[in-house]
Amino acid sequence: MRIYKIFLLILIPLIIFSGCTTIPKSFSDDFSEYKVGQKAPFGDWKLKQGEFIIVAILSKDKKNINKVAEAINHGVIYVDMNFSNFLYSVDIKRKEINDEPRIYFGLKNNANEGYFIKLERNDMGYSLYKFNGTKEVLLNRSYSAAPAGTDFYRYQIIVKKNTIKFFAGGQLYLTYTDKSVKSIVGGIGIGYGNGYYDNVRVEPLS
């Protein structure tokens, strides 16, 4: 009888925890571990389209040389993990003011469906899209933007259940709740607009 009770004490927590939803995962990459000239795929990143390559560029203060990921020919790379309830941040530097980088999240089906934020050319705002295959649907847009120009700037996306909040330089620009889903879950990605990408980080939220 005593052995049976001990067995139950061990078994019950296992049953409870095995029924839990996916545990939120964290992820970070500053691209410093790769070699200059290395092409995607690298690390946990998969190549969806175009090209991505590791390059060394001067830091903003021109005192250091940093390794960053460069998108070429509308290159897009993604991390195929199931993130949910998370803070996703990335530093982006356009090559030209009219480049339109994208920040992808909630990616599924080999990054063929999900969401993305488009940084509009000439700092004319930000747009939130949901896509599936070749179809892109505009969900929300801000006609104001941070004065990023062609400097590195930090962008952040907070996803809680089915609500999306987008920040640039710490300021909130977009909020949207996708009522067609209960929770946004999937991978993250960067690219499309030619430019440099650095300090990618995903942190779970409670």
Side-chain angles (χ1 to χ4, degrees):
M1 190 69 176
R2 188 174 181 181
I3 295 174
Y4 178 73
K5 287 181 179 179
I6 294 172
F7 175 75
L8 285 178
L9 287 173
I10 295 171
L11 183 62
I12 290 172
L14 288 174
I15 294 172
I16 293 172
F17 285 111
S18 65
C20 290
T21 56
T22 304
I23 298 172
K25 299 175 182 178
S26 61
F27 171 83
S28 65
D29 200 342
D30 63 4
F31 305 104
S32 62
E33 67 178 88
Y34 311 118
K35 296 179 181 179
V36 172
Q38 188 172 345
K39 294 183 178 181
F42 38 66
D44 291 315
W45 296 98
K46 297 181 178 181
L47 181 66
K48 174 175 170 55
Q49 66 181 50
E51 298 176 81
F52 246 92
I53 189 170
I54 302 300
V55 297
I57 64 173
L58 280 174
S59 58
K60 189 174 180 179
D61 59 12
K62 297 183 180 180
K63 293 181 179 179
N64 300 296
I65 294 179
N66 295 333
K67 291 180 186 177
V68 299
E70 179 184 0
I72 303 170
N73 298 326
H74 296 301
V76 174
I77 53 176
Y78 68 101
V79 175
D80 193 13
M81 296 182 184
N82 284 328
F83 300 112
S84 63
N85 293 324
F86 57 88
L87 167 63
Y88 170 25
S89 63
V90 56
D91 297 343
I92 300 176
K93 172 182 170 67
R94 292 183 177 98
K95 279 189 172 182
E96 303 290 340
I97 190 65
N98 62 348
D99 285 322
E100 295 181 313
R102 296 180 182 184
I103 308 168
Y104 296 85
F105 59 99
L107 295 176
K108 297 179 179 179
N109 188 24
N110 297 317
N112 286 312
E113 59 181 286
Y115 305 79
F116 67 83
I117 300 284
K118 180 170 73 171
L119 313 184
E120 299 288 351
R121 65 183 64 199
N122 303 313
D123 288 332
M124 294 181 67
Y126 308 108
S127 299
L128 170 63
Y129 286 86
K130 187 174 184 177
F131 69 98
N132 186 344
T134 57
K135 184 179 179 181
E136 297 177 355
V137 178
L138 178 64
L139 302 179
N140 199 2
R141 183 172 183 192
S142 167
Y143 288 94
S144 60
T150 54
D151 292 326
F152 265 113
Y153 217 81
R154 177 154 295 177
Y155 303 93
Q156 294 175 311
I157 296 169
I158 289 179
V159 173
K160 280 195 172 182
K161 293 186 178 179
N162 61 348
T163 297
I164 302 161
K165 292 185 177 181
F166 172 74
F167 299 80
Q171 181 177 337
L172 177 64
Y173 283 91
L174 289 172
T175 300
Y176 183 81
T177 298
D178 187 351
K179 296 180 180 179
S180 69
V181 296
K182 290 184 178 180
S183 183
I184 296 170
V185 181
I188 55 100
I190 48 176
Y192 198 86
N194 293 337
Y196 305 105
Y197 300 78
D198 198 13
N199 299 317
V200 178
R201 181 177 292 274
V202 179
E203 300 173 11
L205 299 174
S206 58

